[in-house]
Amino acid sequence: MTIAADLLRDAAVRLEAAGVEEARRDARLLLAEALGVEAHRLILEPQTEVPQAVADRFERFVAARADRLPVSRILGRREFWGLSFRLSPATLDPRPDSETLVEAVLKAFPDRNAPLRVLDFGTGTGCLLLAVLSEYPAASGLGIDKAEDAVATASANAADLGLSSRAAFRTGDWGQGLEGAFDIILSNPPYIEAEVVPALAPEVARHDPLLALAGGADGLDAYRALMSHAARLLAPQGHVFLELGQGQEKDVAEIAASCGLQRHTAHADLAGIVRCLELVAVNG
């Protein structure tokens, strides 16, 4: 038997050498997963004995993390809005910053019993759509993604969360061929300048899908592509919520204005960066 504290100490040294921030925390999460226990138990019981088979599994996890595979992808899941979401190679790893969009929706639509229709462009794991539906029990929604694997992953997440009866997912190119009117339109589109992507943290550049990251030369291609669809599909009194990169608010608002949408509110994330632009119809 090996002692948990010894494994954690050695793993943290390896991860720090590989440039991993919060190496000790990541090592603890990975060992907890290998043991099948809650991570806090390893703090309370550092002398926990670890069978060799578990130690071998932990070693594989640590090697992957040292290669800068994110903990969430090693575990195969990520918590978002207090819900657990499966990941796949075709999905973006949900970020806490994206919760800003969910918070913005709750402010704009205070009636939690409203029978809202929700549309999510570039749904990925389905985290935005499913988080919103979890807050509105009478709402239903549709998630669109270009990647079939992402659609399959989002569908599985809906089933896991008991939301399959109110959430549908399909492949598509933004709003092409889509009809109807939606009260809430969400999107976390690719908004990073293409030339910047290779310089991102290895956890992102190597392991998040390029389709979900790169937004063209200026980072704005996806907004240009989706905005006319958002305007056409928005119900009267509806709102559009778009995630933004830092410093993109003015440019995205101008693209929206050219399609008949206007800035309603901008919402900052916990770091004070404008992360969500809320739009309404000019004549809405």
Side-chain angles (χ1 to χ4, degrees):
M1 290 282 187
T2 306
I3 301 302
D6 295 336
L7 287 174
L8 289 174
R9 182 189 63 247
D10 294 345
V13 170
R14 287 175 61 188
L15 295 181
E16 286 173 359
V20 173
E21 297 182 6
E22 299 187 89
R24 182 79 181 184
R25 184 208 65 173
D26 286 3
R28 187 182 306 115
L29 290 171
L30 295 174
L31 183 55
E33 176 72 11
L35 279 166
V37 301
E38 296 294 328
H40 70 268
R41 177 177 162 184
L42 298 177
I43 298 174
L44 299 174
E45 302 175 22
Q47 298 304 306
T48 296
E49 294 185 341
V50 181
Q52 188 58 49
V54 173
D56 291 343
R57 187 181 186 209
F58 177 57
E59 166 58 30
R60 293 192 293 273
F61 288 167
V62 172
R65 186 69 187 102
D67 195 39
R68 306 301 291 272
L69 187 67
V71 170
S72 55
R73 293 202 182 273
I74 297 171
L75 303 183
R77 62 183 183 274
R78 163 73 78 172
E79 183 174 299
F80 180 87
W81 201 252
L83 307 171
S84 181
F85 289 88
R86 304 187 197 191
L87 305 178
S88 78
T91 65
L92 196 70
D93 188 348
R95 311 289 199 269
D97 291 344
S98 298
E99 293 185 351
T100 307
L101 275 71
V102 183
E103 293 168 352
V105 169
L106 296 179
K107 291 177 183 177
F109 295 88
D111 181 2
R112 300 295 183 88
N113 294 312
L116 302 167
R117 292 197 69 205
V118 187
L119 174 61
D120 182 17
F121 283 134
T123 195
T125 60
C127 65
L128 288 176
L129 174 60
L130 296 172
V132 168
L133 294 185
S134 74
E135 296 286 349
Y136 295 91
S140 60
L142 173 65
I144 303 291
D145 203 285
K146 291 182 179 180
E148 290 185 6
D149 185 43
V151 169
T153 301
S155 297
N157 282 325
D160 291 346
L161 297 170
L163 294 169
S164 291
S165 64
R166 296 193 285 124
F169 298 93
R170 68 174 70 160
T171 56
D173 184 4
W174 304 118
Q176 294 288 347
L178 188 61
E179 301 296 335
F182 295 86
D183 304 292
I184 296 169
I185 297 179
L186 302 161
S187 186
N188 176 15
Y191 55 70
I192 299 172
E193 296 175 11
E195 67 177 13
V196 174
V197 172
L200 298 174
E203 287 82 353
V204 177
R206 293 183 196 168
H207 302 294
D208 274 339
L210 185 63
L211 184 66
L213 293 174
D218 62 358
L220 301 172
D221 282 1
Y223 300 106
R224 297 187 184 100
L226 69 82
M227 204 70 73
S228 62
H229 296 293
R232 176 176 60 84
L233 295 166
L234 190 64
Q237 310 306 314
H239 292 232
V240 179
F241 302 86
L242 302 176
E243 182 161 334
L244 305 175
Q246 187 169 3
Q248 292 181 327
E249 179 187 353
K250 180 176 181 292
D251 290 334
V252 174
E254 289 178 354
I255 295 169
S258 71
C259 295
L261 296 171
Q262 64 183 359
R263 180 189 185 279
H264 181 272
T265 313
H267 303 268
D269 61 21
L270 293 176
I273 297 168
V274 173
R275 188 61 61 188
C276 170
L277 183 61
E278 182 178 348
L279 304 168
V280 295
V282 171
N283 299 315

